[in-house]
Amino acid sequence: MAEYTMILTEMQGRVAVIRLNRPKALNALCDQLMEELGQALRGYDADPGVAAIVITGSEKAFAAGADIKEMQSRTYPAVYLDDFIGKRWEAVTYVQKPVIAAVAGYALGGGCELAMMCDMIIAAETAKFGQPEINLGVIPGAGGTQRLTRAIGKAKAMDLVLTARMMDANEAERSGLVARIVPAADVVAEAVKIGEKIASLSAPAVAMAKEAVNRAFETTLAEGVKFERRAFQALFSTEDQKEGMAAFAEKRPPAFRNR
Ligand code: CO8
């Protein structure tokens, strides 16, 4: 197992939990933290013992954004040549297994963007979401203007991005950003429970379901529906489809074998 200094990792059954761990900086997402997160995500995605991944932070902050102190002196040529954001930040979007963000406290700027790159957000009652980059003389740079707008619509996205206003968990749930709200003490347990449910299902079906839903963000309705139909049809080539349907007919729980 790799040595990490800015994240903590543990397995809970077949669910991998990655905890962002820079408490003194409210989990500000510096380059090293993002490198470590990417490495952990790639490792878990390749590990057949892992069915789902949870990313969480601390009670006070999921992440208070990209590391402002690390960014402040950067120049355009430097961020351009380094592909700042691209390489390091998009690792989570390449993961085939479901990734669940368990958010307590602040999810601001790059922290909100990281949560939105995950497949689902479970929020503690204490969660606060925002894109306050405008206060710093910049704009969201890791997909915030795009993913937030698709998730909650133009009216609220403009409100947040132009004014730096934060949204609490209730507003985020009402607006469609968040799947569930739970008491702060339960946020990781709830996300792990979802991961465990996923672990009991057929991995090829889970991966295709995730890919198909994500396709809705990338393409037209007609293309998305066509993609879904092909994926649905392809699943008839799996043993798990035969098992799942036989188990239903025989009134017994299915025993999926991920093939
Ligand atoms: N970067 C660096 N350090 C931070 C950050 C951050 N984003 N957020 C907090 N910290 C540090 C503080 O500087 C402070 O450190 P120190 O004790 O050494 O002074 C420590 O964390 C605790 O913070 P506060 O004392 O400010 O704690 P409060 O409880 O008073 O306030 C807040 C909490 C409201 C969350 C406040 O810290 C805050 O406003 N933070 C900044 C939020 C922000 O602007 N986020 C957006 C950052 S820009 C961004 O994310 C761009 C994304 C672009 C894509 C990604 C590219 C890599």
Side-chain angles (χ1 to χ4, degrees):
M1 189 49 129
E3 289 289 319
Y4 298 121
T5 60
M6 296 194 172
I7 60 172
L8 301 170
T9 60
E10 63 166 322
M11 289 300 299
Q12 293 195 23
R14 294 189 55 216
V15 183
V17 179
I18 302 174
R19 189 178 288 277
L20 311 177
N21 188 36
R22 278 187 86 195
K24 287 193 183 127
L26 301 184
N27 292 334
L29 302 167
C30 61
D31 286 352
Q32 191 186 330
L33 189 155
M34 294 311 288
E35 289 286 353
E36 292 184 10
L37 177 62
Q39 204 179 325
L41 287 168
R42 284 186 291 275
Y44 286 135
D45 205 24
D47 181 344
V50 174
I53 301 166
V54 172
I55 302 179
T56 194
S58 68
E59 231 171 79
K60 184 161 182 200
F62 177 75
D67 189 320
I68 299 167
K69 295 165 192 168
E70 189 180 65
M71 276 188 300
Q72 63 178 337
S73 59
R74 287 185 173 162
T75 62
Y76 175 64
V79 295
Y80 174 67
L81 290 175
D82 186 40
D83 187 24
F84 182 44
I85 298 169
K87 278 194 291 278
R88 261 175 231 111
W89 278 72
E90 288 186 344
V92 65
T93 66
Y94 291 101
V95 175
Q96 202 175 21
K97 293 167 184 169
V99 184
I100 302 162
V103 175
Y106 297 111
L108 301 178
C112 187
E113 291 170 309
L114 174 63
M116 290 192 292
M117 284 183 220
C118 298
D119 298 309
M120 203 190 297
I121 302 176
I122 304 302
E125 289 158 343
T126 58
K128 284 192 187 314
F129 299 88
Q131 297 288 164
E133 288 90 340
I134 201 78
N135 281 342
L136 303 168
V138 291
I139 68 169
T145 60
Q146 306 303 300
R147 289 194 180 91
L148 189 67
T149 307
R150 280 167 162 81
I152 69 174
K154 175 179 166 179
K156 277 193 183 285
M158 282 289 188
D159 185 3
L160 265 63
V161 169
L162 290 179
T163 70
R165 177 173 81 79
M166 289 185 215
M167 200 164 54
D168 68 15
N170 282 318
E171 187 180 359
E173 201 261 352
R174 237 180 18 247
S175 310
L177 184 66
V178 156
R180 304 181 191 181
I181 303 177
V182 296
D186 302 338
V187 70
V188 175
E190 182 75 7
V192 168
K193 206 160 85 187
I194 294 169
E196 278 168 357
K197 167 69 187 176
I198 289 167
S200 74
L201 304 171
S202 166
V206 165
M208 280 203 199
K210 161 174 169 157
E211 198 180 357
V213 173
N214 280 332
R215 191 52 72 103
F217 281 80
E218 308 285 348
T219 191
T220 62
L221 179 63
E223 285 303 317
V225 168
K226 207 183 286 175
F227 178 87
E228 178 196 77
R229 190 175 310 136
R230 286 287 170 272
F232 172 75
Q233 291 164 343
L235 286 167
F236 284 74
S237 68
T238 63
E239 288 178 19
D240 284 347
Q241 173 264 332
K242 301 289 175 289
E243 167 61 13
M245 294 189 181
F248 176 80
E250 292 160 19
K251 300 188 190 300
R252 60 171 174 83
F256 292 120
R257 298 168 70 193
N258 298 335
R259 56 190 192 207

